[in-house]
Amino acid sequence: MSTLDLRLVRIFNLIYETKSLTSTAEALSVSQPAVSYALAQLRKQLADPLFIRNPEGMIPTARAAELFEVFKRSVNEIDLVVDSVTSFDPATSRRNFRLCLSDLGELTFLPALVDQLMSEAPGVALEVVPMQVDRVPEWLERGEIDAAIASVEFPGKARRNIISAERYVCVLPERLAGAGPTMTIEEFSELRHVVIDQSTGHYQVDAALRAMGVERKVNLRVHHFAVLPGVLANSDLAVIVPSQVATLFGRLWPVVVKELPFEISSFDVNLYWQDTPTRSTALSWFLDVLTRAVAGSQGRPT
């Protein structure tokens, strides 16, 4: 087979990821006919249709799925080698970074991170990828994200650095708060609760309560932390959340933060990335910014 143009490989990867010729053209700042012509070249060279158009977009063939695994990894390795020998200037860079965060991470870390980026690298773009716990190791290995911040431990070869320690507290409306910073177990048992789905990775609370034989009166189950402040401020419900997000809620809404009347193990907030022998200076800088932003978010004034 003749040599495959790297430009065509990049176009192939984008079509695979976006399932759209139009989106690929927009991402590359070229016309759609140019992308269609490139796809025709790829189909001829690789002797396969590669993508079949249907109402859901450009769907890859089995052969295309096999090729994407190789092409994505190869392009990432080439980019890493180039980046490792190329100087990176945050002040002038227009690079796009992709960071995987849960909605809790968006609430607590994103404001400080945006501040850091705007200050040091105003031309850099950040794309936040919604957390899917079962996909993060694969995304990191393929280079589909640059980093992830999470409180869960991911399997695989990704590197991990603990960037914060957290503990759980109880948040409840001001009208339900008694005296003192800690409630009694009897007071806790009388509260009606909002519960965060365990798929978010915050399962320690339920495990600790089961071990102690403590039951909660659960009136609402949700999948996103972002909905909690409005719910708490306009109801007689309480919720157990990490202390940092509790502090944020207390600063913005008429709620009170209480220490729990029982012990729940603290947990680590981890920064994940895929390390290579030729880690780019751009990625090293981004990891440093993330670490400083998390530290800065903990020190933001209340």
Side-chain angles (χ1 to χ4, degrees):
M1 185 179 70
S2 59
T3 302
L4 197 60
D5 189 333
L6 181 59
R7 178 184 63 87
L8 295 181
V9 174
R10 292 186 187 278
I11 291 173
F12 171 93
N13 288 347
L14 276 171
I15 296 173
Y16 190 97
E17 292 170 343
T18 65
K19 294 183 172 61
S20 167
L21 300 184
T22 300
S23 296
T24 297
E26 291 174 351
L28 296 173
S29 298
V30 299
S31 66
Q32 183 172 324
V35 172
S36 298
Y37 178 72
L39 178 57
Q41 289 181 286
L42 284 164
R43 284 169 166 164
K44 182 177 180 180
Q45 281 193 266
L46 299 173
D48 189 90
L50 299 178
F51 300 95
I52 308 299
R53 189 189 303 275
N54 76 13
E56 297 179 1
M58 302 295 289
I59 305 303
T61 63
R63 177 60 173 158
E66 294 175 357
L67 290 169
F68 178 74
E69 297 288 336
V70 178
F71 286 175
K72 185 68 175 180
R73 183 165 54 250
S74 299
V75 170
N76 287 339
E77 290 175 355
I78 290 171
D79 289 342
L80 283 171
V81 171
V82 172
D83 284 347
S84 68
V85 296
T86 304
S87 61
F88 173 75
D89 181 6
T92 59
S93 175
R94 302 189 65 83
R95 176 167 175 154
N96 180 67
F97 290 96
R98 304 186 85 225
L99 172 65
C100 186
L101 287 174
S102 65
D103 74 315
L104 176 59
E106 293 178 3
L107 282 170
T108 52
F109 307 135
L110 200 53
L113 176 56
V114 171
D115 286 347
Q116 292 275 2
L117 291 176
M118 292 300 294
S119 173
E120 299 182 28
V124 160
L126 175 67
E127 179 181 354
V128 176
V129 179
M131 180 67 66
Q132 295 184 40
V133 172
D134 59 334
R135 299 293 305 279
V136 171
E138 172 191 349
W139 289 343
L140 286 168
E141 185 174 356
R142 289 182 174 181
E144 294 179 31
I145 57 174
D146 294 292
I149 296 177
S151 60
V152 298
E153 292 191 19
F154 296 121
K157 301 177 182 179
R159 293 288 303 276
R160 178 183 68 154
N161 186 32
I162 298 172
I163 53 178
S164 176
E166 261 285 19
R167 75 185 199 285
Y168 288 102
V169 295
C170 187
V171 180
L172 62 162
E174 290 178 340
R175 56 187 170 276
L176 296 183
T182 304
M183 67 182 69
T184 66
I185 191 67
E186 291 77 19
E187 290 172 331
F188 177 84
S189 298
E190 288 301 313
L191 291 172
R192 294 181 297 161
H193 290 259
V194 185
V195 172
I196 305 296
D197 191 270
Q198 293 188 25
S199 64
T200 61
H202 292 269
Y203 52 81
Q204 297 96 321
V205 172
D206 287 318
L209 292 176
R210 282 196 301 269
M212 292 182 293
V214 177
E215 292 189 11
R216 284 188 284 182
K217 298 175 181 177
V218 178
N219 285 77
L220 177 64
R221 294 182 182 274
V222 298
H223 289 262
H224 302 286
F225 284 84
V227 305
L228 291 174
V231 169
L232 296 179
N234 295 286
S235 70
D236 288 333
L237 300 177
V239 68
I240 299 175
V241 295
S243 62
Q244 192 170 352
V245 73
T247 300
L248 175 64
F249 289 172
R251 188 165 67 238
L252 300 176
W253 297 81
V255 294
V256 173
V257 179
K258 290 276 192 175
E259 297 295 332
L260 295 167
F262 44 80
E263 290 292 330
I264 294 183
S265 299
S266 60
F267 61 94
D268 296 324
V269 177
N270 306 297
L271 171 61
Y272 290 91
W273 72 95
Q274 194 72 26
D275 214 353
T276 67
T278 55
R279 186 206 297 181
S280 70
T281 54
L283 179 58
S284 294
W285 171 83
F286 185 55
L287 296 174
D288 178 63
V289 168
L290 290 174
T291 302
R292 287 187 282 119
V294 170
S297 68
Q298 295 173 320
R300 292 172 78 89
T302 59

